[in-house]
Amino acid sequence: MLEAKNVNYYQNSTDFLDNSSHFIYDLFLIDLIMLDYTDENIISHIREQNQQSAIILITPHNNSIMPYYLSVGTDDFIFKPIDFKSFMAKMIFCLNQYSLKKALVQKNVDLPTELKKDSLTGLYSRVYFIKICKKKLMEISQTMQPIAFILLDIDNFKNVNDEYGHLSGDYVLKNLGLILKKTLRKSDIICRWGGEEFIILLADSNLADAKKIAEKLRLTIAFHYFENIGNITASFGLTKYYPADTNESIFKRLDQSLYLAKLTGRNKVVSDNKLPIFINKKPISIEWGPFFKSHNSIIDAEHHMLINLSNEFIHTCFTQNKTTVLLSLFEMILSKLIIHAAHEEEILCHNVYPFYLEHKKIHKNLLTEITTILNNLQSEKPSFTSAGRYIIQNIIVEHIVKDDFDFYYLFTKKPHSKPIP
């Protein structure tokens, strides 16, 4: 049984607007006929005062209006003539939803202080940041307000601890926290993600905004002198919120972008896994490391070889423009890729990878595209620089980093597959 503690009734919009700011309501029932102001303004006013409350519109039956009112903040509709059972069921449902939202908000607020803050830097903790992200994603799924994320990691931080001691390492982390607070806006949420990693949620920011902020942070850190230690640098991964994103998909994209920055020389910004092949008019070089290792010796050896060939191709594009040399390198990359695809497919089939057929189709499409590029290069249609961009972005980033990472779990949970003769 519903128990109403504070109930108010207004016959027109003016009276409602004059008095509603004094009350916090759980539920609003609005008859569209009473509105003197535009309905959108009324609903916006309600949402400003009561963000989590339920709003039900009473209206003549007209399905065409429903998407519009949902987009401006309405939760549900009651159509005339009013059926009592339907009316009560919708009210109870909306109030239950309101209670769930309120409980979620309260749960975030009630988190113990010691869990909200990182004890060393005073920034938000990872646990609290994840809670904030979940709340933000719920909000922007309705408001579509742009938000972006930055993940940064101190370069070669182990060297600081090894050379100067862990107290000096703590000093660097504390001061980096102060730099972030001083450089960023009050509306930005800063968290120590773990170790020497920090994550930032940029409110009301798109990807272009995030790039400018990340670059400003990168330079600020690089030029800051840390007493008795000197200068340090940091690498950055960044992304924005896309529809259908979850905490997990956002953090995965950030993590991969950060690692790409690390693997191409450090002290740089990479957004959404997009790697430029030239930075400051110099070719990038991808560094092989643990990030790429699948723990299958055959796949790892072939990935390593493909990355080395890709580096050689990019550097050759930059240092010389000999068509025969570049064509020969591109042909070699294609031939090695064909062999690698066959080996990888056999290994995945042997290990009963559930997405084996989908992965095989990805290989087929990739080989078709790169064969077309080679044919065009022989006809002197695209530039070798464009071909280099394709190798880095489509083979290294999109395939090895994104597609292949999905099956690495096969070789960390069970023994390696048998070597292929």
Side-chain angles (χ1 to χ4, degrees), residues 26-297:
D26 296 342
L27 173 68
F28 292 84
L29 291 171
I30 302 176
D31 190 335
L32 290 183
I33 294 175
M34 67 163 277
L35 297 180
D36 304 319
Y37 294 79
T38 66
D39 41 13
E40 184 175 352
N41 287 342
I42 292 290
I43 295 168
S44 297
H45 174 80
I46 293 171
R47 280 286 172 241
E48 286 175 9
Q49 302 292 328
N50 303 264
Q51 291 185 4
Q52 308 299 331
S53 299
I55 300 175
I56 299 177
L57 291 188
I58 303 172
T59 178
H61 197 287
N62 183 356
N63 287 331
S64 64
I65 68 168
M66 293 173 68
Y68 166 73
Y69 286 114
L70 287 171
S71 71
V72 296
T74 301
D75 293 293
D76 210 336
F77 303 87
I78 294 173
F79 298 109
K80 298 178 181 178
I82 295 174
D83 176 76
F84 179 75
K85 288 184 179 180
S86 174
F87 174 76
M88 293 303 296
K90 288 197 175 188
M91 281 209 303
I92 291 169
F93 175 80
C94 286
L95 285 171
N96 285 340
Q97 291 295 105
Y98 165 77
S99 297
L100 288 172
K101 289 179 186 178
K102 191 174 181 180
L104 179 62
V105 171
Q106 193 61 41
K107 187 178 179 182
N108 288 332
V109 172
D110 289 345
L111 195 68
T113 304
E114 61 269 22
L115 293 180
K116 289 184 181 180
K117 298 286 185 176
D118 170 61
S119 58
L120 178 65
T121 63
L123 302 176
Y124 285 123
S125 69
R126 182 174 183 143
V127 172
Y128 189 58
F129 188 85
I130 290 172
K131 285 183 174 290
I132 291 172
C133 282
K134 286 181 179 178
K135 183 173 180 289
K136 283 288 183 185
L137 294 190
M138 284 179 61
E139 289 176 0
I140 63 176
S141 65
Q142 295 181 348
T143 65
M144 298 310 294
Q145 179 193 36
I147 60 170
F149 299 84
I150 295 174
L151 180 65
L152 67 107
D153 182 273
I154 301 172
D155 295 327
N156 301 311
F157 185 68
K158 184 177 182 296
N159 294 345
V160 175
N161 282 330
D162 290 347
E163 187 172 348
Y164 301 100
H166 287 278
L167 288 178
S168 294
D170 288 350
Y171 158 78
V172 169
L173 293 171
K174 287 179 184 177
N175 277 269
L176 184 56
L178 293 174
I179 290 171
L180 295 178
K181 285 182 179 179
K182 185 177 179 180
T183 308
L184 294 165
R185 304 166 299 180
K186 289 184 178 180
S187 59
D188 298 326
I189 301 167
I190 315 166
C191 159
R192 185 184 175 199
W193 191 237
E196 63 271 24
E197 283 189 337
F198 298 80
I199 194 168
I200 304 155
L201 188 155
L202 301 171
D204 198 21
S205 300
N206 56 33
L207 201 58
D209 297 329
K211 287 179 183 178
K212 291 177 183 176
I213 293 169
E215 188 60 29
K216 181 180 179 181
L217 283 173
R218 186 188 70 81
L219 291 172
T220 302
I221 294 168
F223 285 106
H224 182 84
Y225 180 81
F226 291 84
E227 190 176 351
N228 299 323
I229 295 172
N231 298 99
I232 65 169
T233 61
S235 298
F236 295 76
L238 59 96
T239 189
K240 69 170 187 175
Y241 167 80
Y242 294 94
D245 255 334
T246 62
N247 275 6
E248 290 74 20
S249 63
I250 290 168
F251 297 149
K252 182 178 179 181
R253 203 159 57 243
L254 278 173
D255 204 40
Q256 289 177 341
S257 297
L258 172 61
Y259 268 99
L260 289 172
K262 291 278 190 185
L263 295 168
T264 53
R266 301 178 180 84
N267 189 26
K268 62 166 59 73
V269 175
V270 172
S271 61
D272 277 351
N273 299 327
K274 296 291 190 298
L275 266 183
I277 62 171
F278 300 116
I279 296 177
N280 297 327
K281 299 182 179 179
K282 293 182 180 180
I284 66 167
S285 184
I286 298 175
E287 177 185 325
W288 173 264
F291 174 69
F292 285 107
K293 291 182 179 178
S294 70
H295 299 287
N296 179 283
S297 58

